[in-house]
Amino acid sequence: PVQWEGSVTVVFPHSAEDANAWATAFRVLGPKEGLRLAEIPSMSMAVLFVELLPDGSIRTTASSRMKPLLEK
């Protein structure tokens, strides 16, 4: 079972179907392990994790490829 509350957005250059599949995988992995996978140089995708924390606050974590996209 998934151990965290939140969502994942993936920008993948090849197809929306692949982006959706990767978003599901990252959702299961969670932000910590998912970010490690997203940062592997051969992974050509941008990933954003949005976590709902127990106190009700929101934390976002972006991969290095996602950060430039968020600045636009």
Side-chain angles (χ1 to χ4, degrees):
V2 175
Q3 300 294 318
W4 65 287
E5 295 290 328
S7 65
V8 182
T9 299
V10 175
V11 178
F12 192 67
H14 302 293
S15 74
E17 291 84 7
D18 288 342
N20 185 47
W22 276 109
T24 300
F26 286 122
R27 177 76 175 92
V28 172
L29 287 171
K32 184 178 178 182
E33 293 300 318
L35 189 60
R36 282 185 38 208
L37 177 62
E39 294 296 348
I40 293 173
S42 62
M43 301 293 280
S44 58
M45 64 186 78
V47 182
L48 176 67
F49 294 90
V50 180
E51 298 175 76
L52 177 60
L53 302 177
D55 66 1
S57 63
I58 294 174
R59 174 173 49 206
T60 60
T61 307
S63 70
S64 60
R65 291 177 198 86
M66 180 63 86
K67 289 176 182 176
L69 299 176
L70 297 173
E71 294 172 0
K72 293 182 178 186

